[in-house]
Amino acid sequence: MIMLYGSQQDYDAMAGHPGGKPPMSAEQVAAMHAHMESVHKELAESGELVDGRGLTAPVHARRVQLRHGAPVVTDGPYPETQEVLAGFTVVECASFDRATQLAARFVNPDADGEYVDVRPVAEGIEDLDGVSRRRAR
């Protein structure tokens, strides 16, 4: 799974709202979406795409956790966390190295410090040992 990250500020910028980051123009947002669509199309054509989705802004999120045995719900965004999962792409490919190559396509070369994470999807308990990389998904 290739995991993409963002912040509420990123979502605000994409919506054209001023704030912590300069607002993106409609053309910039369209170019970003076109890039993502292009990468996903290429992955679909190569047979490596399993699924890919963007997630709504953190302001629409809820965190559910237990405190003293009772669920406590907190509405987002979460000020203590700047980064959140913004979207994901699941690929099925020949190796973990290939998944890493594919992941590099999702990093904006103009955004210094931007990153994505690549992690195999656990198929079962045996994949949770922290050592196995039998399937690159």
Side-chain angles (χ1 to χ4, degrees), residues 4-114:
L4 296 82
Y5 296 92
S7 68
Q8 184 63 49
Q9 290 179 354
D10 293 320
Y11 284 90
D12 290 344
M14 285 187 282
H17 301 305
K21 294 187 175 188
M24 292 174 69
S25 68
E27 293 80 16
Q28 289 171 310
V29 173
M32 180 187 66
H33 284 274
H35 172 74
M36 296 298 288
E37 186 177 324
S38 171
V39 173
H40 280 156
K41 182 179 178 188
E42 288 176 28
L43 292 173
E45 289 171 355
S46 72
E48 295 171 302
L49 180 67
V50 175
D51 194 9
R53 306 282 174 104
L55 301 175
T56 62
V59 71
H60 302 294
R62 286 189 176 153
R63 178 170 292 154
V64 180
Q65 64 188 106
L66 288 180
R67 287 199 185 132
H68 308 292
V72 176
V73 178
T74 306
D75 289 332
Y78 314 109
E80 67 275 6
T81 304
Q82 290 296 314
E83 278 184 344
V84 296
L85 187 63
F88 66 91
T89 298
V90 179
V91 296
E92 179 133 14
C93 51
S95 67
F96 195 66
D97 287 339
R98 174 64 180 153
T100 303
Q101 290 173 339
L102 297 173
R105 305 265 328 271
F106 291 93
V107 180
N108 180 352
D110 298 325
D112 190 40
E114 185 175 290

